[in-house]
């Protein structure tokens, strides 16, 4: 069949909400876009463990500690679901990881900010996971079957992340003067980076239009950002904290909150590697991978030895 | 493609409760079947999603080709007499 016909069949399926599965024909650019997006999503889950892991041993109580451990473990799991679904597109796990380590593949810039106090763990769960959920819920309906199934699983698990974060914020915001100060300080530092997680404005987003047509993406960056803002501002007020945006105002006629200008220069700087923790994060990832190499090799050698022994005993 | 020797890929099937089929959950890399089972426990059943797990090396699965979907499944399409609604019976017939 001619490429043009195959492409039409493909687009018809997408238009009719029929999922594309790994062995189905798909345009090369669709495959490439998905590999880029899913692998970067996977990297984000894995790198995302680092800022929080910083606080596991410093959690203020055993309950907070087990909850944080469970959350970080979930993120490892989410990274694994995503790497697996990426592999269904014909790329090896190692190649995607190599791209992360070489800097060719990105991960969400949000993880290049430091976690300075315990309140940051609250702010991350509430704002960062909140923004991630806002992005991920529409991905559950993504046209690519394995990605959509991974996202359904991720979203099911992630609502606990946001609730545990908000519960930390509530405790801090209603605590001592010093705790309140820490809560506000964490909001001040995480508010804008969380809003930037939705990506550049629609007018500057290079992949948006095509991804919408392929139903990889369902809503524009700005639409999702607006939803997040409308949902989150009242939550911040409920904490008795201030939104660090002097231009924030409620528009009575539209019923929406309106934010001030986003500092995109800062965003691009972090994307390009100039954030506070970019180098530290990559070094930690590379270090973990390199130091784990002998374990992976040993496990493989042991499995091979067991297989040979079993074969020998069957033969004998 | 990387030339390193990697842990093979396994497909994971989980029975969520007694009485239901094992259902595909996803895949993972592991050195051998025992390790695949342990990892499947951690990756796919962190919230009591299962009572039993199967793992099978992905390369052992033979899958039908989606390009042959039409010819493969076509023979069933015109056999409407395999369905109960094909048979017109008088209304007086009960319990059938």
């Amino acid at each position: 069949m001619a490429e043009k016909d195959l492409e039409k069949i493909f687009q018809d399926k997408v238009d009719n909400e029929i999922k594309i599965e790994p062995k189905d024909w798909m345009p090369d650019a669709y495959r490439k876009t998905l590999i880029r997006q899913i692998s970067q999503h996977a990297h984000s889950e894995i790198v995302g463990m680092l800022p929080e892991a910083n606080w596991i041993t410093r959690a203020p109580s055993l309950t907070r500690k087990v909850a944080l451990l469970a959350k970080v473990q979930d993120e490892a799991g989410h990274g694994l679901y995503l790497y697996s679904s990426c592999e269904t597109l014909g790329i090896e796990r190692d190649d995607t990881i190599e791209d992360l380590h070489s800097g060719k593949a990105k991960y969400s810039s949000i993880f290049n900010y430091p976690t300075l106090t315990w309140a940051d763990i609250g702010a991350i769960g509430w704002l960062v996971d909140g923004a991630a959920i806002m992005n991920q819920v529409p991905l559950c309906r993504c046209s690519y079957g394995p990605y959509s199934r991974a996202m359904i699983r991720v979203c099911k698990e992630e609502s606990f992340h946001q609730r545990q974060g908000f519960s930390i914020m509530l405790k801090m915001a209603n605590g001592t003067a010093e705790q309140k100060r820490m809560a506000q300080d964490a909001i001040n530092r995480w508010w804008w980076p969380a809003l930037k997680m939705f990506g550049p404005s629609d007018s500057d987003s290079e992949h948006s239009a095509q991804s919408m047509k392929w139903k990889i993406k369902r809503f524009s960056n700005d639409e999702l950002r607006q939803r997040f803002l409308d949902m989150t501002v009242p939550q911040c007020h409920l904490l008795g904290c201030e939104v660090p945006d002097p231009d924030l105002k409620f528009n009575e006629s539209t019923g929406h909150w309106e934010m001030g200008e986003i500092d995109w220069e800062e965003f691009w700087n972090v994307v390009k590697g100039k954030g506070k923790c970019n180098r530290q994060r990559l070094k930690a990832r590379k270090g973990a991978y390199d130091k784990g190499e002998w374990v992976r090799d040993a496990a493989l050698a042991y499995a091979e030895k067991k297989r040979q022994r079993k074969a020998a005993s069957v033969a004998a | 493609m990387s030339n390193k020797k990697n842990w093979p890929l396994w497909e994971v099937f989980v029975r969520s409760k007694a009485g239901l089929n094992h259902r595909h959950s996803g895949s993972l890399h592991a050195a051998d079947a025992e390790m695949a089972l342990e990892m499947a426990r951690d990756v796919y059943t962190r919230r009591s999603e299962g009572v039993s797990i199967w793992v099978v090396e992905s390369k052992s699965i033979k899958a039908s080709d989606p390009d042959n979907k039409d010819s493969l499944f076509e023979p069933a399409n015109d056999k409407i007499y395999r369905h109960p609604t094909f048979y017109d019976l008088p209304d007086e017939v009960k319990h059938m």
Side-chain angles (χ1 to χ4, degrees), chain A residues 23-275:
Chain A
K23 293 176 86 185
D24 293 342
W25 187 90
M26 60 186 89
D28 257 357
Y30 176 82
R31 185 185 299 276
K32 278 196 188 119
T33 299
L34 279 171
I35 289 178
R36 181 180 52 79
Q37 179 169 339
I38 302 174
S39 67
Q40 297 193 4
H41 196 160
H43 300 328
S44 301
E45 296 283 353
I46 299 297
V47 177
M49 292 193 280
L50 298 171
E52 293 180 292
N54 186 34
W55 281 92
I56 291 175
T57 55
R58 301 175 178 86
S61 71
L62 198 54
T63 314
R64 294 293 187 197
K65 185 174 181 158
V66 291
L68 186 56
L69 261 174
K71 178 178 191 282
V72 172
Q73 195 192 5
D74 272 351
E75 274 146 19
H78 297 173
L80 293 176
Y81 308 155
L82 286 161
Y83 281 129
S84 301
S85 74
C86 194
E87 279 175 280
T88 63
L89 291 157
I91 183 163
E92 300 254 331
R93 172 95 43 116
D94 263 11
D95 293 332
T96 59
I97 291 174
E98 217 172 277
D99 284 349
L100 170 72
H101 294 173
S102 73
K104 187 179 155 209
K106 302 281 182 227
Y107 53 89
S108 176
S109 274
I110 194 76
F111 303 117
N112 289 320
Y113 297 89
T115 41
L116 304 180
T117 76
W118 174 249
D120 287 40
I121 298 305
I124 287 181
W126 168 43
L127 296 173
V128 175
D129 286 81
I133 293 170
M134 193 60 82
N135 264 328
Q136 287 168 347
V137 167
L139 287 173
C140 295
R141 290 161 56 221
C142 165
S143 58
Y144 187 58
Y147 192 26
S148 139
R149 292 191 285 274
M151 288 327 298
I152 290 171
R153 193 177 274 276
V154 167
C155 286
K156 253 191 218 163
E157 298 181 351
E158 210 139 80
S159 69
F160 128 68
H161 297 184
Q162 199 191 10
R163 290 174 72 101
Q164 71 92 35
F166 198 73
S167 133
I168 292 172
M169 291 310 284
L170 265 176
K171 194 84 178 172
M172 304 280 291
N174 293 295
T176 63
E178 177 61 7
Q179 286 171 325
K180 277 185 207 170
R181 195 195 58 74
M182 284 161 70
Q184 183 64 57
D185 171 60
I187 294 172
N188 292 349
R189 283 180 292 108
W190 290 96
W191 182 262
W192 288 103
L195 286 171
K196 291 172 193 169
M197 282 174 69
F198 296 95
S201 268
D202 297 344
S203 49
D204 304 319
S205 179
E206 53 175 321
H207 307 294
S208 274
Q210 183 62 68
S211 285
M212 294 272 235
K213 188 171 172 240
W214 282 332
K215 297 199 176 165
I216 294 173
K217 220 176 148 130
R218 297 275 177 169
F219 302 99
S220 78
N221 295 352
D222 287 335
E223 276 176 286
L224 291 171
R225 186 168 13 247
Q226 182 62 47
R227 277 192 211 177
F228 177 72
L229 186 75
D230 287 335
M231 192 184 81
T232 312
V233 170
Q235 292 170 350
C236 189
H237 292 156
L238 196 91
L239 291 171
C241 291
E242 269 179 50
V243 176
D245 178 356
D247 298 321
L248 181 81
K249 56 176 184 295
F250 188 70
N251 184 327
E252 292 285 351
S253 62
T254 61
H256 291 296
W257 286 92
E258 291 172 359
M259 67 185 118
E261 277 295 306
I262 290 181
D263 178 0
W264 288 115
E265 202 186 319
E266 190 271 349
F267 172 80
W268 288 115
N269 266 334
V270 182
V271 171
K272 285 173 189 148
K274 292 184 211 151

Side-chain angles (χ1 to χ4, degrees), chain A residues 23-24 73-74 77-78 80-81 84 87 92-95 98 153 157 160 289 296 299-300 303 306, chain B residues 1-2 4-9 25 27-29 31-32 34-35 42-44 46-47 49 63-64 66:
Chain A
K23 293 176 86 185
D24 293 342
Q73 195 192 5
D74 272 351
H78 297 173
L80 293 176
Y81 308 155
S84 301
E87 279 175 280
E92 300 254 331
R93 172 95 43 116
D94 263 11
D95 293 332
E98 217 172 277
R153 193 177 274 276
E157 298 181 351
F160 128 68
Y289 190 77
R296 295 191 297 276
L300 209 53
K306 270 200 303 185
Chain B
M1 200 192 285
S2 122
K4 266 177 269 172
K5 207 162 180 270
N6 289 316
W7 289 355
L9 191 66
S25 285
S27 48
L28 50 77
H29 288 270
D32 59 23
E34 285 73 27
M35 186 194 260
D42 289 342
V43 177
Y44 293 104
R46 284 192 304 285
R47 288 176 177 75
E49 288 95 335
S64 63

